[in-house]
Amino acid sequence: VGYKRYRLEPRSPVSPPHGLRAAGGQLENGALRVLVDERTGTVTSVFDKLRNAELVSPERPEFGVLLRRSHHADYLGADDYVAAQDGPVEVRYENGACAASVVVVRPESPLARLKLTLFRDLDWLQVQMLIARERTRHVPLGEHSDHYYAAFSLNLADGCNIRFDGPAGLLNPADDFLPGAVRSRFVAQHVVEVTDADGARILMAPREASLCQVGRKGARGPDFAPTPTLFWKVLSDADEGRTKDLGAVTYPFIEPGSPPATYHFALRAGQGRADDPDAYRFGMEQSVAPVAAFMPPAAKPLFRPLPPRLPPSQSFVEVSPPNVVLLTLKQPEDGAPNEVVLRFMELAGKPS
């Protein structure tokens, strides 16, 4: 926990580093190569160059798509998903010194924008999905509601192993849930790990979405057979309701001035089961992003006397060993001003 100060100065444009580029339906850096069909906007490949492995399953649904399912199908666990991203497609490219992106724009679809970003010298892919809620279909009262999922089909074998982080560390639904509990749905705080019998591993970190479904909905006990497709619930839409005095009425879909719904996901591959602290920290780094604050030079001192000049960087707290993480740093509600409360969590089940 700490900060680092940067000084911004105008400079001539910097050429992108070698290997980081987005053009012609391709996004690439030193670790990953992403292919996008410019005609349909579909992500056809995410190739891990470090491990010579394809990460996107050739089966449907594709990678990074928005799917719709009716309330009745969602309640019963039926697999009748419908793609919610039709209409014309425009593919754009963004190139910079530290990042490059492919942006798929759909001006008539609920999935208004899909942005894929790779960063310089980093081995993970960021996926941003912007959902235009006003473009979803009108759901009549008799159909109750629609549910929307962001789907990611991973190139791993069926019967894979699933772990996710919860309040008590990383959990496996097949082993750690109580008998009779639904195992195909869970709330991941920061990360989901999927591994198969061949040792391939993929970590997926959500920032805004948390409810994840794998396999058949409602599966319990021995019926739970996880599949390597992660469905992240991002939206539920009910447009009509029944009132006592007016009967069936149509509700305004969104509040005036409500921004589009934006969801971020990060994907990183590996081999073998991830170390618990490594998986947890990857998820935390994605969901708890650093806060940037612009500090312009003041014409006049804001304080008298002037405070001491802050060093360029400073750490407030360092924690070791790596299997211990700091969850909370705050002032006590009823303590002295110079007292602080720190809460820690141990991740690997080791005495620390």
Side-chain angles (χ1 to χ4, degrees):
V1 180
Y3 71 88
K4 189 169 185 178
R5 193 176 71 231
Y6 297 89
R7 183 178 181 86
L8 302 180
E9 297 180 351
R11 293 186 60 184
S12 59
V14 179
S15 300
H18 177 71
L20 178 64
R21 63 184 293 270
Q26 184 167 312
L27 171 67
E28 188 170 9
N29 68 358
L32 297 169
R33 181 174 63 248
V34 181
L35 301 181
V36 177
D37 187 324
E38 293 186 299
R39 181 180 60 86
T40 64
T42 301
V43 180
T44 59
S45 172
V46 177
F47 189 76
D48 184 348
K49 298 192 291 185
L50 301 178
R51 299 166 185 85
N52 195 33
E54 175 59 53
L55 305 184
V56 174
S57 170
E59 306 295 331
R60 293 178 61 92
E62 294 92 348
F63 180 93
V65 301
L66 183 67
L67 302 179
R68 174 175 57 83
R69 188 160 67 165
S70 70
H71 171 76
H72 302 295
D74 197 66
Y75 182 78
L76 296 174
D79 290 330
D80 55 345
Y81 292 95
V82 178
Q85 49 183 54
D86 50 5
V89 174
E90 179 186 353
V91 179
R92 305 170 183 172
Y93 301 95
E94 299 175 358
N95 288 280
C98 297
S101 302
V102 175
V103 184
V104 180
V105 179
R106 301 176 185 269
E108 299 177 6
S109 167
L111 181 58
R113 186 179 68 195
L114 173 69
K115 184 175 183 179
L116 310 165
T117 303
L118 290 176
F119 299 90
R120 179 178 180 177
D121 300 330
L122 297 179
D123 63 348
W124 50 269
L125 168 69
Q126 183 184 81
V127 180
Q128 181 192 73
M129 304 178 75
L130 188 147
I131 300 175
R133 292 171 286 183
E134 68 277 6
R135 299 180 189 169
T136 57
R137 80 175 190 110
H138 182 88
V139 184
L141 180 61
E143 297 185 24
H144 192 279
S145 59
D146 281 343
H147 302 270
Y148 291 83
Y149 292 85
F152 298 86
S153 291
L154 309 177
N155 193 28
L156 300 173
D158 286 344
C160 51
N161 186 66
I162 304 288
R163 294 197 308 158
F164 69 96
D165 71 314
L170 270 76
L171 305 175
N172 183 332
D175 300 329
D176 298 326
F177 281 20
L178 293 173
V182 173
R183 303 184 181 187
S184 57
R185 274 193 174 187
F186 48 82
V187 174
Q189 292 188 338
H190 304 104
V191 69
V192 172
E193 177 196 64
V194 189
T195 55
D196 64 13
D198 296 330
R201 178 188 79 239
I202 295 178
L203 295 176
M204 191 159 197
R207 185 178 301 176
E208 296 85 4
S210 59
L211 180 61
C212 183
Q213 177 177 319
V214 293
R216 183 178 62 83
K217 182 186 176 184
R220 306 170 188 266
D223 294 334
F224 177 57
T227 58
T229 297
L230 302 183
F231 297 91
W232 296 94
K233 192 168 187 177
V234 295
L235 182 66
S236 293
D237 174 21
D239 295 306
E240 296 184 4
R242 189 173 300 279
T243 64
K244 183 177 181 180
D245 53 344
L246 299 177
V249 298
T250 299
Y251 299 121
F253 187 70
I254 56 175
E255 296 181 3
S258 179
T262 304
Y263 296 90
H264 297 80
F265 304 90
L267 187 87
R268 191 179 79 182
Q271 194 70 22
R273 176 170 166 172
D275 176 80
D276 285 6
D278 176 67
Y280 183 85
R281 289 176 188 277
F282 174 71
M284 282 289 292
E285 289 170 357
Q286 302 302 323
S287 59
V288 186
V291 178
F294 178 58
M295 303 175 64
K300 296 182 179 180
L302 298 178
F303 303 96
R304 294 188 182 279
L306 291 176
R309 184 175 179 83
L310 295 175
S313 63
Q314 183 170 317
S315 174
F316 301 132
V317 178
E318 293 185 11
V319 181
S320 62
N323 57 300
V324 177
V325 296
L326 175 66
L327 296 180
T328 304
L329 171 61
K330 68 171 189 175
Q331 287 186 313
E333 296 179 358
D334 54 357
N338 60 343
E339 294 178 344
V340 293
V341 175
L342 297 95
R343 296 194 181 102
F344 299 90
M345 181 170 69
E346 198 281 322
L347 298 171
K350 301 177 181 179
S352 301

